[in-house]
Amino acid sequence: FFSFEMIELLVFLLQHEILIQLHQYVYLIVPNFVSRLPKVLRAGDVHAVQGSKQRPGDEEGILTARGQSVNTGQNPTPQNTGVEEEGDAQASQQIERNELAYLKRIATDSNVYHLFKQLRPFFHGNHHFEEIMWRSNISRETLNMVIQTYNDVLIPFLC
């Protein structure tokens, strides 16, 4: 099927990272959670923690989970105070609670809903389609059916 020149070209493109493989991932975005996020987090700072404490001398800034000031434009040296782990844990717990509340609100007896509920742990942008299909033993058509059914909260993207 392939000529020797085509194979050489393919090897060259791969070696020079001109040709790359894209994977499709999925994010679950629960509407209730998005509306309750602080403005800083909705604007794109995924490390902001709601209710985080300000650092002394940083009266205007909001401290992120990484220990950096968000509003003041300053970038202080991060201190190892445990804020990162605590903030990540709090954010994860809040996301988990909101997702479960959302699932309870939309609960049905359909097979698609039960599959959506089973696949929910894979919908945080860390697992690509092929991995989800392999780990869940489902077909691409089945995964696409779940994504199409819940397209208001499931956002696929290529990376």
Side-chain angles (χ1 to χ4, degrees):
F1 289 100
F2 292 105
S3 68
F4 182 72
E5 291 84 20
M6 283 293 270
I7 293 174
E8 281 184 330
L9 177 63
L10 182 61
V11 169
F12 175 83
L13 293 173
L14 288 170
Q15 286 175 339
H16 291 87
E17 297 182 7
I18 297 170
L19 182 64
I20 60 171
Q21 182 177 8
L22 292 176
H23 290 286
Q24 192 166 14
Y25 296 83
V26 183
Y27 263 113
L28 173 61
I29 307 294
V30 179
N32 188 22
F33 180 66
V34 172
S35 66
R36 293 161 86 193
L37 286 176
K39 271 187 177 177
V40 172
L41 189 54
R42 281 185 267 150
D45 187 340
V46 296
H47 300 296
V49 179
Q50 191 169 11
S52 62
K53 299 198 180 354
Q54 293 179 340
R55 184 176 287 161
D58 190 18
E59 289 78 20
E60 295 181 28
I62 296 174
L63 191 63
T64 69
R66 298 277 183 234
Q68 297 173 333
S69 173
V70 175
N71 288 346
T72 63
Q74 299 172 349
N75 205 5
T77 306
Q79 297 177 357
N80 189 5
T81 60
V83 172
E84 180 177 339
E85 293 84 10
E86 180 183 324
D88 287 347
Q90 288 176 354
S92 293
Q93 290 171 356
Q94 183 65 33
I95 290 169
E96 180 78 14
R97 282 193 300 270
N98 285 313
E99 286 178 2
L100 293 175
Y102 177 78
L103 287 174
K104 191 180 285 187
R105 210 170 41 238
I106 64 164
T108 66
D109 267 344
S110 73
N111 290 336
V112 178
Y113 169 77
H114 291 292
L115 187 55
F116 171 62
K117 191 174 173 181
Q118 175 187 343
L119 295 174
R120 182 184 63 87
F122 295 111
F123 296 150
H124 294 116
N126 297 323
H127 306 279
H128 54 80
F129 269 38
E130 288 75 20
E131 182 181 358
I132 296 170
M133 293 183 306
W134 179 74
R135 289 181 181 266
S136 304
N137 197 26
I138 60 173
S139 68
R140 183 174 294 275
E141 292 79 25
T142 304
L143 181 56
N144 281 329
M145 179 182 61
V146 171
I147 292 171
Q148 288 172 356
T149 303
Y150 295 99
N151 66 357
D152 56 332
V153 293
L154 291 177
I155 314 298
F157 67 96
L158 289 173
C159 185

